[in-house]
């Protein structure tokens, strides 16, 4: 089967490799779509020994004895390799399983290939009325963002600021509007993405042309109820503290592995009752709740899957992603 490898220095190579062999309890999917993700940047530069791709949907083509998923079922791949028996897994929170040996598509071969093997319990069913692209959007784009937002009680917010409108940030915009948050500011350097945010009824701000704090404080003198940090950088984490109102909440959904130091700390951060929420991925029940929100017409996914490329043109997909003129780009093996 055809598969892509990241060789380092942004070199992507297409090769033919054998179709995966299934271990007990696994199913084989024919990959329908794999979403391009900002978190791939590190392995795009540094190289990776396995087939990358962790935002995957596809159709089940083979199962192992004991599996109940029918051939032909359309599924999205939930990446935490959760144990299924601990108290977190029992409550659907495989993202928090302390026994998870890595993530599918990172610690195992992922979705930049014609076929992918995965444990049956990681194959989440996509409703017949939804597309395989929507299955991908229910993962990092909508799943990761809405999880952080649910923890932050986003539906209670009257105002919010999303910093960074890449796929996860734009997923946050879509979710915030779906749950009825009236004033959603979006700070983003790409005018393409700002236009998509405007389409969701958000208030676009390009901080290269306009002072974000002035813009927000014109209407919200104390700051916003909720800040969603979707860049994953220390300066934007600091910025979140400056933009949130006393008593407000900050949801960190951007990928940031570094130390959260407080060199730029201000007195106001100490005395303002700020709730800081760091979340990871999402729970399995949330996947189905979000699916229902799409089916009910509350959550509009149309603007989120902005482009698509065949696997043979995966390098083009990453070039486009680097320009910022896209939301979620689908690669189709
Ligand atoms: Zn991702
Ligand atoms: Zn577990």
């Amino acid at each position: 089967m055809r598969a892509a490898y990241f060789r380092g220095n942004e070199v992507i190579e297409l090769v033919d490799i054998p179709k995966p062999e299934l271990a007990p309890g696994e199913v084989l999917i024919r990959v329908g779509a794999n979403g391009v993700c900002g978190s791939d940047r590190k392995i795009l530069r540094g190289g990776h020994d396995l087939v990358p791709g962790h935002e995957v949907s596809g159709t089940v083509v083979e199962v192992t004895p004991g599996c109940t998923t029918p051939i032909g079922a359309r599924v999205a791949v939930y990446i935490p390799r959760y144990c299924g028996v601990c108290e977190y897994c029992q409550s659907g929170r495989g993202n928090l399983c302390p026994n998870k040996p890595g993530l599918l598509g990172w610690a195992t071969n992922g979705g930049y290939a014609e076929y992918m093997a995965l444990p049956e319990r990681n194959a989440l069913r996509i409703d017949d009325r939804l597309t395989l692209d929507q299955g991908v959007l229910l993962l990092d784009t909508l799943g990761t963002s809405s999880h952080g937002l649910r923890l932050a009680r986003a539906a209670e917010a009257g105002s919010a600021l999303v910093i960074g409108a890449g796929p996860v940030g734009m997923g946050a915009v879509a979710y915030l509007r779906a749950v009825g948050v009236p004033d959603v500011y979006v700070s983003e350097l790409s005018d393409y993405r700002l236009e998509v945010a405007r389409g969701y009824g958000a208030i676009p701000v390009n901080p290269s042309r306009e002072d974000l704090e002035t813009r927000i404080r014109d209407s919200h003198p104390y700051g916003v109820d909720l800040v969603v940090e979707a860049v994953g950088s220390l300066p934007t984490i600091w910025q979140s503290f400056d933009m949130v109102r006393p008593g407000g909440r900050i949801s960190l959904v951007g990928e940031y592995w570094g130390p959260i130091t407080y060199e730029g700390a201000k007195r106001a951060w100490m005395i303002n009752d700020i709730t800081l929420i760091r979340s990871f991925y999402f729970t399995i029940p949330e996947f189905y709740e979000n699916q229902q929100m799409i089916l009910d017409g509350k959550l509009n996914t149309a603007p989120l899957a902005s482009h698509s490329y065949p696997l043979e043109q995966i390098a083009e997909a990453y070039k486009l992603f680097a320009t910022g003129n896209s939301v979620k780009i689908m690669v189709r093996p």
Side-chain angles (χ1 to χ4, degrees), residues 76-128:
V77 179
Y78 185 75
I79 63 170
R81 290 201 293 171
Y82 62 101
C83 77
V85 294
C86 75
E87 64 176 271
Y88 292 103
C89 292
Q90 290 295 311
S91 58
R93 294 180 291 170
N95 56 322
L96 304 184
C97 174
N99 310 315
K100 58 176 181 284
L103 304 172
L104 296 174
W106 293 100
T108 66
N109 280 335
Y112 286 138
E114 286 174 73
Y115 297 92
M116 177 179 175
L118 59 140
E120 184 188 31
R121 62 169 171 264
N122 290 77
L124 307 185
R125 296 290 282 274
I126 300 169
D127 190 279
D128 289 344

Side-chain angles (χ1 to χ4, degrees), residues 22-152:
L22 295 187
E26 286 189 337
V27 299
L28 186 71
I29 62 168
R30 189 178 199 320
V31 176
N34 188 119
V36 168
C37 181
S39 66
D40 295 329
R41 267 188 296 247
K42 210 185 296 173
I43 54 172
L44 199 54
R45 270 186 240 113
H48 193 54
D49 291 336
L50 299 165
V51 175
H54 64 274
E55 298 187 25
V56 195
S57 69
T59 307
V60 173
V61 291
E62 204 180 310
V63 299
T64 47
C67 290
T68 55
T69 306
I71 302 291
R74 296 173 327 126
V75 300
V77 179
Y78 185 75
I79 63 170
R81 290 201 293 171
Y82 62 101
C83 77
V85 294
C86 75
E87 64 176 271
Y88 292 103
C89 292
Q90 290 295 311
S91 58
R93 294 180 291 170
N95 56 322
L96 304 184
C97 174
N99 310 315
K100 58 176 181 284
L103 304 172
L104 296 174
W106 293 100
T108 66
N109 280 335
Y112 286 138
E114 286 174 73
Y115 297 92
M116 177 179 175
L118 59 140
E120 184 188 31
R121 62 169 171 264
N122 290 77
L124 307 185
R125 296 290 282 274
I126 300 169
D127 190 279
D128 289 344
R129 289 161 287 178
L130 300 184
T131 64
L132 288 175
D133 282 4
Q134 286 174 308
V136 170
L137 295 173
L138 283 161
L139 301 171
D140 299 31
T141 308
L142 291 166
T144 298
S145 56
S146 70
H147 178 55
L149 292 174
R150 284 188 175 96
L151 291 176

